[in-house]
Amino acid sequence: MARPPLLIPRPEGLYCPGGDFFIDPARPVARALITHGHSDHARPGHGAVMATRETLDIMAIRYGEDFTRSRHIADGAITIGGVTVSFHPAGHILGSAQIAVTGGGCRIVVSGDYARVPTPTCARFEPVPCDIFVTEATFALPVFRHPPPETEIARLLASVAAFPDRSHLIGAYALGKAQRLIAALRQAGWDAPIYIHGALHQLCDYHVAQGINLGDLRPATEGKKADFAGTIVIAPPSAFATAWAQRFPDPVIGFASGWMQVRARARQRGVELPLILSDHVDWPALTATITELDPAEVWITHGREDALMRWCEMTQRAARPLHLVGYEDDAE
Amino acid sequence: MSLTAFATLLERLAFTPQRLGKERLLADAFTRMPDPERGLMLAALTGDLKLRQVTPSLLRGLTEMRADAQLFSYSYDFVGDLAETIALIWPEGTRTDPPLSEVVHELATAPKTRLPALITARLDSLGPSERYAYLKLATGALRVGVSARLARTAFAAWANLPLPQVEEIWHALQPPYLDLFAWASGSPRPEAAARAPFRPVMLSTPTDLDQLSALDPADFAAEWKWDGIRIQAVSDGGTRRLYSRTGEDISTAFPDVVDLMAFDGTLDGELLVRRDDEIASFADLQQRLNRKTVTPAMLRSHPAGLRLYDVLIWNGQDLRDEPYDARRAVLAQAVATLNPRIDLSPDLPFATWDDLAALRLNPPAAVIEGVMIKRRDSPYLAGRMKGPWFKWKRDPHLIDAVLMYAQRGHGKRSGYYSDFTFGVWNGDDLVPVGKAYFGFTDAELKDLDRFVRTNTIERFGVVRSVARTKVVEVAFEGLNRSSRHKSGVAMRFPRINRIRDDKPAVEADHLSTLQAMLTN
């Protein structure tokens, strides 16, 4: 009799029969292994959760201490039922991990979301040799070649210098992207205070508590309108449509995202200063990672599966789309 | 100006939301840039840089030599703009920064056979945003959020010249506009040197009974809105030209009309296919459009003529400042001297707006698409301003159809499923009857996009087939017989009027409803 497969896609998410757990399930399950704290991967209400210490902390910050009945910090190789699991840095956001599942002579690495561009905000992606590599495909089109973050930060700083009377309001998702942006500004030598929206406070504080230098951060509610001239303000993009944005003088609206490489996307959002700053692999990094790992098979979770399938076909790699539901297509 | 500077300008124009901000950017460019670069830049924005040899299919072909055709197709589907897709997908090479005039010159003068090698070599030696600017130049479709009128407005404001005077001579000028920039710095105004120049056309704004009721009908004249092509017919010292309302010279496609233009003046009217007293449908006129040459058989089967609305210049006298009534009196006398294939669009008698509403509901011919309402004391003004001229179009036809297929949109709709194919019932089957990609509100677009994403039943490349459950009300202006469509009908100007979530798919319309409209 054939052995059951190590992992199988189910409506709830990717399931491991040997260990009776799900990875990043979209619905509440008895036992979940979580790659990272973004809400489409880390949901509240699971019976037990295993993740990195940082991811567990982040889930507690976002969902409250009772987000699960039982937390397990992933540390080293852990045996669950008949399989062994281990967590390895994914380079995506603080605490993000790839999950390696080994059993019956086969190893599958579920990479979650991952990035290869280094950032002070999290550990670098660690290539883990495997038989099956499960990858995202968020930016899996050859048009996505993201420029180095330094050039994008330089564009932002040039704009700040060109419009000293205006404030720069930069949209960035609260977990990961905002801190990546702040850290990159600090690396570029911008040591003035950076003003942040209330939705960013707790998560920024948590990064600082983990020893990540974000410099002088101040609440964007402090001060009069004129005080914000020449400043950089960071907020979740949803804040721009609200009255909150009216407190700033003639703001230049920016958005930090890998999607900003496509002009129409930037214009649809009414963005004046699109900043191509991503925490996912772009096309060259994605294809280079698969080439480097050279797995026997590639499984694709979400994004532009068609194009990555085509590339695998061209490079004679076995590949399959998992058609998992629940992962956000466009959030980045 | 280098190509990089031009690319940076395009980028800033595209992402500057306010009109005034765009005008400031352009003014700054006019000041900083030398001739002939600034004139070429201006011509690129106004669409007057004619480099029409570079076709999308040529560019696709070149790209498919550098990138996998299928990956290219997925990418184009996602990005929604051909030039941008190619700019982003083209492999990186060395980066040069040639002068704008150099690349324009070689694109304009290269023989067609040399174009592929030339374009490939350029793309190989540019960075991504320069590739984008280069491709936009080469294809002539800039779409960077600056209209031709805005570019001219910005020029006039920068040069401190009255916009109407700039508009007046615009069509006689040639890129790189050295004489125009000389005028801006104090030289005399360039004469409209060419004979039979195009004059900016007067346009109308839409209206309805509600708006009209606030106006006194005695102040207005009315006439039919003929469904042909608005033209300007100019005959000037033996030179005859037929222009579209945007100033495009379409004389060569209509030699029969040019032959009739035995007058000296500038007339405003509608180009129509006329067989004796009968005005043919727009579909017949379409047969004559976009042809470089026209066959004798076509001239016999689809003879064209003019129906006149207005006169701008007559026998050397500029009448544009005269009131409408006075111009029409001149026009009526003028028409009497012309070949009867050029005639006057008749005045509609009416005393009240309700009288006019009744006329609009029962036009004497199918080729009439509503009524035009013109203020009797209005001068002939360039552009579209609210007040002097109104169009009151007939109500569109409406049917309820079922959504069948969807594709992602392009341009500002890129990323949304916004191109829809819809169908009506033919027995127990749905047969596609048209495609629409506008008409809906932003909120309706989001609703339709979400429906497509969650109700896809099959994918054919970039096309998604959707569950046959969503009913939409489709508005359209007319219906033609078509042998190319399986349904046998083709709609004119179809758009999605509203979403009919209150209607189950079985209650959508049947093909027989459309077929009945054909016979009317």
Side-chain angles (χ1 to χ4, degrees):
Chain A
M1 198 183 81
R3 244 192 322 208
L6 201 47
L7 289 177
I8 48 175
R10 284 216 188 151
E12 301 94 320
L14 211 47
Y15 178 67
C16 175
D20 187 26
F21 60 79
F22 287 88
I23 297 177
D24 290 354
R27 305 176 200 171
V29 299
R31 297 203 285 180
L33 273 60
I34 305 291
T35 58
H36 67 284
H38 278 150
S39 56
D40 51 333
H41 293 259
R43 292 169 195 264
H46 304 307
V49 170
M50 178 181 286
T52 62
R53 184 179 50 77
E54 293 88 345
T55 297
L56 291 170
D57 289 345
I58 287 166
M59 290 177 77
I61 290 171
R62 304 192 108 181
Y63 303 128
E65 292 294 336
D66 58 350
F67 72 90
T68 180
R69 283 195 298 280
S70 150
R71 303 181 201 183
H72 303 267
I73 295 175
D75 189 15
I78 304 151
T79 303
I80 307 177
V83 304
T84 305
V85 301
S86 55
F87 284 55
H88 308 268
H92 174 55
I93 61 168
L94 180 59
S96 67
Q98 313 167 69
I99 301 176
V101 183
T102 313
C106 172
R107 173 182 284 169
I108 303 183
V109 168
V110 182
S111 55
D113 292 335
Y114 63 105
R116 306 294 306 255
V117 178
T119 161
T121 57
C122 66
R124 288 187 78 151
F125 177 92
E126 175 192 325
V128 181
C130 55
D131 302 290
I132 297 171
F133 184 60
V134 184
T135 183
E136 57 151 320
T138 306
F139 291 107
L141 284 173
V143 288
F144 288 110
R145 279 180 292 192
H146 294 147
E150 302 82 61
T151 63
E152 297 301 290
I153 297 297
R155 286 179 48 234
L156 168 57
L157 294 180
S159 179
V160 172
F163 301 106
D165 300 334
R166 305 174 71 183
S167 56
H168 279 65
L169 233 62
I170 311 300
Y173 288 105
L175 171 59
K177 188 62 66 62
Q179 294 79 24
R180 189 180 277 255
L181 172 61
I182 295 167
L185 279 163
R186 297 310 183 200
Q187 279 187 319
W190 179 261
D191 47 20
I194 292 174
Y195 295 86
I196 57 174
H197 184 273
L200 270 55
H201 284 172
Q202 272 189 306
L203 289 163
C204 285
D205 287 349
Y206 179 70
H207 278 72
V208 172
Q210 300 305 303
I212 295 156
N213 173 29
L214 299 180
D216 185 358
L217 298 183
R218 299 187 189 175
T221 43
E222 250 174 37
K224 293 190 292 289
K225 195 167 188 165
D227 298 342
F228 290 103
T231 64
I232 297 175
V233 183
I234 299 175
S238 54
F240 294 169
T242 66
W244 178 86
Q246 293 163 6
R247 73 180 67 230
F248 306 103
D250 188 16
V252 175
I253 303 290
F255 187 34
S257 162
W259 298 117
M260 291 298 103
Q261 193 152 34
V262 176
R263 276 155 212 268
R265 295 296 171 105
R267 289 170 70 176
Q268 279 163 3
R269 284 179 166 272
V271 170
E272 206 171 327
L273 183 69
L275 297 171
I276 307 169
L277 198 71
S278 172
D279 46 23
H280 293 259
V281 273
D282 64 0
W283 177 259
L286 172 56
T287 52
T289 301
I290 296 174
T291 309
E292 176 186 354
L293 296 173
D294 197 22
E297 235 178 280
V298 177
W299 293 359
I300 306 164
T301 54
H302 61 290
R304 267 116 292 278
E305 303 96 316
D306 295 349
L308 191 54
M309 289 293 293
R310 170 64 183 159
W311 180 83
C312 289
E313 182 192 332
M314 288 165 63
T315 51
Q316 297 177 337
R317 295 174 187 281
R320 62 181 278 214
L322 297 180
H323 295 307
L324 293 180
V325 291
Y327 295 123
E328 279 171 39
D329 206 22
D330 278 6
E332 197 256 348
Chain B
M1 176 190 234
S2 68
L3 193 56
T4 300
F6 179 65
T8 307
L9 177 65
L10 288 191
E11 206 142 292
R12 294 191 65 189
L13 285 171
F15 291 119
T16 299
Q18 313 87 346
R19 200 185 155 88
L20 270 176
K22 291 180 209 256
E23 285 188 25
R24 265 203 301 270
L25 285 170
L26 288 170
D28 184 48
F30 294 139
T31 305
R32 280 188 301 107
M33 288 162 57
D35 288 322
E37 321 283 338
R38 57 185 180 180
L40 295 173
M41 180 274 283
L42 181 57
L45 292 174
T46 56
D48 292 306
L49 207 58
K50 309 271 189 233
L51 305 167
R52 290 288 154 76
Q53 296 191 76
V54 184
T55 59
S57 67
L58 168 67
L59 294 176
R60 270 176 227 264
L62 295 180
T63 309
E64 284 170 8
M65 317 267 279
R66 292 292 157 104
D68 175 61
Q70 207 170 328
L71 287 175
F72 175 44
S73 151
Y74 291 137
S75 297
Y76 178 42
D77 177 46
F78 186 87
V79 174
D81 179 288
L82 186 65
E84 185 172 9
T85 309
I86 297 173
L88 291 172
I89 208 171
W90 198 271
E92 287 299 328
T94 53
R95 292 194 184 187
T96 59
D97 186 12
L100 185 60
S101 49
E102 183 181 311
V103 298
V104 169
H105 177 77
E106 68 185 20
L107 280 169
T109 55
K112 209 166 179 179
T113 49
R114 249 186 44 74
L115 272 178
L118 177 82
I119 295 170
T120 301
R122 279 295 184 196
L123 292 175
D124 278 343
S125 62
L126 295 171
S129 64
E130 290 80 6
R131 282 196 293 265
Y132 174 78
Y134 177 75
L135 290 165
K136 286 285 174 185
L137 264 183
T139 53
L142 247 56
R143 286 198 307 185
V144 291
V146 176
S147 66
R149 190 169 160 87
L150 189 137
R152 289 196 291 267
T153 308
F155 171 80
W158 169 78
N160 204 15
L161 295 166
L163 179 62
Q165 285 199 34
V166 174
E167 296 267 10
E168 176 77 30
I169 57 164
W170 187 265
H171 288 276
L173 302 173
Q174 291 298 324
Y177 306 126
L178 299 180
D179 44 359
L180 184 69
F181 282 96
W183 182 28
S185 50
S187 298
R189 176 182 168 183
E191 283 307 306
R195 286 259 181 210
F198 171 75
R199 311 289 176 169
V201 167
M202 181 156 177
L203 300 167
S204 61
T205 58
T207 191
D208 56 35
L209 199 53
D210 265 2
Q211 292 180 27
L212 288 171
S213 58
L215 304 170
D216 183 353
D219 291 340
F220 290 88
E223 63 190 319
W224 297 120
K225 184 175 183 343
W226 299 95
D227 187 14
I229 298 209
R230 180 87 181 275
I231 51 85
Q232 185 174 99
V234 189
S235 188
D236 176 15
T239 303
R240 296 178 181 182
R241 292 201 199 289
L242 201 58
Y243 294 103
S244 74
R245 71 178 172 86
T246 53
E248 201 185 336
D249 188 341
I250 54 170
S251 311
T252 50
F254 296 94
D256 46 348
V257 175
V258 173
D259 278 346
L260 303 173
M261 289 164 46
F263 58 82
D264 193 277
T266 301
L267 302 175
D268 181 339
E270 198 84 9
L271 180 64
L272 299 158
V273 165
R274 323 182 47 161
R275 299 190 183 95
D276 301 321
D277 284 344
E278 184 221 357
I279 305 284
S281 73
F282 184 79
D284 276 12
L285 181 58
Q286 243 172 345
Q287 306 279 321
R288 295 269 320 251
L289 293 176
N290 305 320
R291 284 170 190 271
K292 285 210 180 83
T293 56
V294 49
T295 62
M298 185 60 89
L299 286 174
R300 275 193 304 276
S301 62
H302 294 70
L306 301 180
R307 185 150 281 185
L308 299 174
Y309 298 134
D310 214 324
V311 54
L312 289 74
I313 296 167
W314 194 248
N315 291 333
Q317 208 183 341
D318 192 334
L319 303 169
R320 284 177 289 176
D321 289 337
E322 300 289 320
Y324 176 80
D325 273 348
R327 295 197 309 273
R328 285 282 288 197
V330 174
L331 184 64
Q333 284 183 2
V335 166
T337 67
L338 299 174
N339 182 299
R341 298 189 63 76
I342 300 183
D343 64 7
L344 185 68
S345 171
D347 272 319
L348 295 178
F350 70 102
T352 67
W353 295 122
D354 286 335
D355 292 351
L356 192 60
L359 286 167
R360 169 178 168 268
L361 277 181
N362 284 302
V367 67
I368 289 169
E369 53 168 7
V371 293
M372 297 296 302
I373 300 160
K374 298 178 175 178
R375 233 189 130 80
R376 293 183 179 278
D377 62 2
S378 60
Y380 193 95
L381 302 165
R384 191 190 300 279
M385 51 288 291
K386 197 173 165 156
W389 284 13
F390 296 105
K391 58 182 165 194
W392 190 12
K393 289 179 82 165
R394 73 172 167 226
D395 294 329
H397 305 290
L398 298 174
I399 55 152
D400 290 325
V402 182
L403 223 54
M404 299 180 72
Y405 306 98
Q407 250 180 288
R408 282 186 210 261
H410 290 172
K412 69 177 181 184
R413 298 257 174 70
S414 95
Y416 285 100
Y417 283 91
S418 64
D419 292 14
F420 305 104
T421 302
F422 47 84
V424 293
W425 294 106
N426 186 22
D428 291 337
D429 298 324
L430 280 167
V431 51
V433 288
K435 282 181 93 162
Y437 45 91
F438 61 100
F440 32 74
T441 63
D442 286 354
E444 285 171 330
L445 173 59
K446 282 199 177 129
D447 175 82
L448 290 165
D449 178 71
R450 202 174 322 117
F451 173 81
V452 172
R453 287 173 194 275
T454 49
N455 290 279
T456 300
I457 51 176
E458 219 176 330
R459 300 177 192 207
F460 312 95
V462 299
V463 177
R464 288 188 178 205
S465 174
V466 297
R468 305 292 150 76
T469 54
K470 190 91 167 171
V471 178
V472 289
E473 182 179 270
V474 175
F476 58 99
E477 295 302 316
L479 206 60
N480 297 330
R481 262 175 232 288
S482 165
S483 51
R484 277 190 305 158
H485 297 84
K486 201 168 133 194
S487 61
V489 296
M491 290 178 177
R492 273 192 64 202
F493 203 51
R495 66 262 186 199
I496 297 199
N497 211 36
R498 59 187 173 129
I499 298 170
R500 295 295 307 263
D501 281 340
D502 55 319
K503 242 187 187 188
V506 288
E507 287 178 23
D509 276 306
H510 287 255
L511 186 58
S512 53
T513 311
L514 290 174
Q515 285 163 339
M517 288 171 63
L518 272 181
T519 52
N520 287 340

